[in-house]
Amino acid sequence: MAIESLATALEREHREIDQGIEAFTSGLAAGDSQPEPLMRAVRALRRHIYLEERFLFPPLRQAGLVAPVFVMLREHGQIWKTMDALELALDTGAADASIHKLCRELTVQLQHHNLKEERVLYPQIDQVLTASVDSELKNFLDSGQLPDGWLCERAPR
Ligand SMILES: [Fe+2]
Ligand SMILES: [Fe+2]
C-alpha cells in the first residue's frame, strides 16, 4: 500500500473535522447535546491550522503563492473567531439554537476555505516542500501537539 501523501492526509483531516461538527449538530437535532464530538473537532481544527501556518504556508509563500496564502491566513482568523465563540457558548451553557447557528457558520466557513486549499495550495505541496519539511510535517501529523496558548497569525486579539 502506498504511503499516504501529505495532501491526502490534510484533506482527510478536513473531512474528519467536518464529520465531528456534523455528528454534534445531528445529535443536537435529535435532542442529544453531548459536546464531545464538537470539542474534539475544534481541537483538531486548531491543530490543523497550526500545522498549516507553521510548516506549510511559509514555503508556499516563498514559492510565490503570496496572495492565496494571505487569503488563507485571513480566513483562519475568521474561523478561529467562530471557534472561540463556540467554546464560549458551550462553557456558558448557551441555548442550543445559538450553538447550532455557530456550528452552521463554522461549517460554511470551512466549506469555502477547504475547497480553496484543496484546489490551489495542496496540489503544490509536492513541488514546494523540501524532504525535511515534508518529514517534519508527517511526524507532526502523527503525534504533534498544538503549543499551549498558540494563536493563529490573524486571530482576533
Ligand atoms: Fe487552512
Ligand atoms: Fe486545511
Side-chain angles (χ1 to χ4, degrees), residues 52 76 113 117:
E52 290 179 337
H76 281 178
H113 179 77
E117 283 184 343

Side-chain angles (χ1 to χ4, degrees), residues 53 57 60-61 64-78 113 121 153-154:
E53 294 197 10
F57 289 178
L60 288 170
R61 189 161 35 201
L65 292 153
V66 177
V69 166
F70 179 85
V71 174
M72 292 305 102
L73 289 171
R74 190 176 60 205
E75 291 181 357
H76 281 178
Q78 293 158 351
H113 179 77
L121 292 179
E153 190 173 311
R154 299 286 301 274

